[in-house]
Amino acid sequence: MSLNTRLTFLFVFALVIVFASTTTTQAESSGDECLRAVVEDISPSSVGIDEEFTVGISLENCGTRVPENVRFEILSIPPDIIVTEDLVAYFPEFVYKNSERQLRYHMRTTPDATPGPHIIKTKLSYGNEETKRTKYYEVEVIVTGEHAEPRISSVKTSPAYIYEGDTVDLNLEIENFGDSIAKSVVVNLDHEFKGITNSTIGSLALGGNQTALFKFKADSPGTFEIPVQIGYEDDYGLQNDEYSIQITVLDRKGSLNLASVKVNPVLPQMDDTVELTMRIENSGDRTINSIRVYADHPFKGLKESFIGTLDPDEDGPAVITFMADQAGEYEIPVTITYIDDFGEEQVETKVNLIVMESNGGAGTVIAILIILAVIGGLVYNNYRTKKSKDEIIKQLMEGNGRTVDKEKK
């Protein structure tokens, strides 16, 4: 064999050895284990609250070797999702290199699940101890929910027409116009009156309604824009909606009035025992309790009289007895106190009284002057009375006529 032939043979033999080595290396490289997890489906795609659903996971071989010691596990679950399957799936070995494994997990959301994205964390591991590989995946489940919408559907007050000093019952009807149950509904009023500012009405079903009850004392007149906050909980958690209502309070100084005044004797003289009778009228819409009348006169005798309870449009007498030991003209302060739902209240007025000298005559001219003075005092004091001035004058004139007749006899 020639030298050239030998060199050619050795060169070809060397090429075959290099190709064979390269081929072996490529085969070993392409034969590595490769496995991946794929989320195939979430059924139903829209997961509601307190609803069952499934998550499908596919384990796919992406290499040329058969994976061994395959382990797929769920690492963490949101607190409002429950998984009814085993959290760990183990496969010692896939049957062949192109095989797949299908996993299906049955789950459900809790009744108090929060709408929005929920992340389930998983782990995939495979291979022997020398070539063990680990991959982590996240499965996103979207939980859908509905909004509640409690709103004010009507406003009612008792009395319907509110006057200064009235105790008012306010009823707000709250109706749910949303698509979810409104839970733990609380209604707050930001008013400046003395009284109740919040009312709890519990839960409102879809289309349901309940009444929030309030009570307050309308202690000042005017038109008031009152903010209303409605707090509640729906599928999306705690909510707070703001509204407003308008309340008008008419100008009136209380509902207890001094309806009439009677003095016996009509023309008291010094050292006479005088009986002062004041009729107190309840011109409001509510029963008033514990009514007391205090007359701050300068004489010796009683100054206070207790009436008790007066129903609407009812009146009662307050009788004060004293000895008129000083002559003169007096303007006697009178304080009417009573108790309502918010404590003690007061109404202040005045009564005029003239005490004659003991030796003074009771002539017609003096009598007329005294009557006119008494009438003036009544007109000054008897606000909000249902009796007209003409009726009061008529009563006093009739009383004076009988007195003059007796004197003539």
Side-chain angles (χ1 to χ4, degrees), residues 282-302:
N282 179 7
S283 59
D285 298 323
R286 297 180 179 278
T287 298
I288 298 178
N289 302 310
S290 303
I291 302 171
R292 294 180 181 272
V293 180
Y294 182 83
D296 191 15
H297 59 74
F299 310 114
K300 295 180 180 179
L302 300 177

Side-chain angles (χ1 to χ4, degrees), residues 258-263 276-278 349-352 371-383 385 389 391-393 395-396:
L258 187 59
S260 66
V261 179
K262 180 180 178 182
V263 180
L276 174 64
T277 302
M278 296 170 285
T349 184
K350 294 179 181 179
V351 171
N352 291 333
I371 292 170
L372 292 176
V374 173
I375 292 172
L378 289 175
V379 172
Y380 175 81
N381 292 295
N382 296 343
Y383 60 89
T385 181
K389 297 178 184 178
E391 291 175 338
I392 296 173
I393 294 172
Q395 291 175 4
L396 293 173

Side-chain angles (χ1 to χ4, degrees), residues 79-124:
D80 42 8
I81 292 180
I82 300 172
V83 180
T84 59
E85 311 291 344
D86 291 336
L87 300 184
V88 178
Y90 177 71
F91 306 96
E93 185 180 21
F94 275 27
V95 177
Y96 51 92
K97 64 179 182 180
N98 294 327
S99 61
E100 297 180 0
R101 289 291 185 272
Q102 306 295 329
L103 303 177
R104 184 159 295 275
Y105 293 91
H106 290 80
M107 306 182 184
R108 80 172 296 120
T109 53
T110 61
D112 58 349
T114 303
H118 293 66
I119 303 299
I120 301 173
K121 295 184 178 181
T122 65
K123 174 184 175 182
L124 173 65

Side-chain angles (χ1 to χ4, degrees), residues 210-403:
Q210 290 193 49
T211 302
L213 306 177
F214 300 90
K215 185 185 289 286
F216 62 89
K217 183 64 173 282
D219 52 8
S220 58
T223 299
F224 302 89
E225 195 79 17
I226 300 177
V228 181
Q229 293 88 33
I230 303 179
Y232 60 97
E233 184 178 357
D234 62 8
D235 292 347
Y236 290 87
L238 297 177
Q239 310 291 335
N240 189 67
D241 296 340
E242 295 186 0
Y243 304 93
S244 66
I245 60 173
Q246 191 176 83
I247 297 294
T248 299
V249 180
L250 303 176
D251 189 4
R252 185 179 74 183
K253 304 298 183 182
S255 58
L256 282 183
N257 310 306
L258 187 59
S260 66
V261 179
K262 180 180 178 182
V263 180
N264 186 25
V266 176
L267 302 175
Q269 296 185 1
M270 191 170 64
D271 296 328
D272 279 351
T273 298
V274 179
E275 187 178 81
L276 174 64
T277 302
M278 296 170 285
R279 298 201 69 85
I280 308 302
E281 180 185 47
N282 179 7
S283 59
D285 298 323
R286 297 180 179 278
T287 298
I288 298 178
N289 302 310
S290 303
I291 302 171
R292 294 180 181 272
V293 180
Y294 182 83
D296 191 15
H297 59 74
F299 310 114
K300 295 180 180 179
L302 300 177
K303 292 189 176 184
E304 187 176 53
S305 178
F306 179 75
I307 295 178
T309 299
L310 288 178
D311 291 327
D313 297 325
E314 184 182 16
D315 61 64
V319 181
I320 306 291
T321 304
F322 55 86
M323 179 175 288
D325 54 1
Q326 302 177 47
E329 184 176 350
Y330 300 93
E331 189 176 69
I332 301 174
V334 176
T335 302
I336 306 170
T337 63
Y338 62 95
I339 296 176
D340 63 9
D341 295 333
F342 299 99
E344 185 176 277
E345 300 290 341
Q346 291 186 348
V347 176
E348 295 183 354
T349 184
K350 294 179 181 179
V351 171
N352 291 333
L353 176 68
I354 297 178
V355 179
M356 305 292 296
E357 295 282 352
S358 298
N359 56 357
T364 303
V365 176
I366 297 176
I368 292 173
L369 292 175
I370 293 174
I371 292 170
L372 292 176
V374 173
I375 292 172
L378 289 175
V379 172
Y380 175 81
N381 292 295
N382 296 343
Y383 60 89
R384 304 298 301 169
T385 181
K386 293 183 178 179
K387 297 179 180 180
S388 67
K389 297 178 184 178
D390 293 338
E391 291 175 338
I392 296 173
I393 294 172
K394 181 180 178 181
Q395 291 175 4
L396 293 173
M397 293 297 293
E398 289 177 353
N400 182 67
R402 288 194 292 269
T403 303

Side-chain angles (χ1 to χ4, degrees), residues 47-76:
V47 180
I49 294 173
D50 194 19
E51 185 176 273
E52 293 182 352
F53 64 100
T54 61
V55 176
I57 303 292
S58 176
L59 302 181
E60 301 177 352
N61 186 11
C62 52
T64 59
R65 294 180 57 184
V66 176
E68 297 178 350
N69 298 320
V70 179
R71 180 186 178 93
F72 184 83
E73 57 185 305
I74 296 177
L75 296 178
S76 66

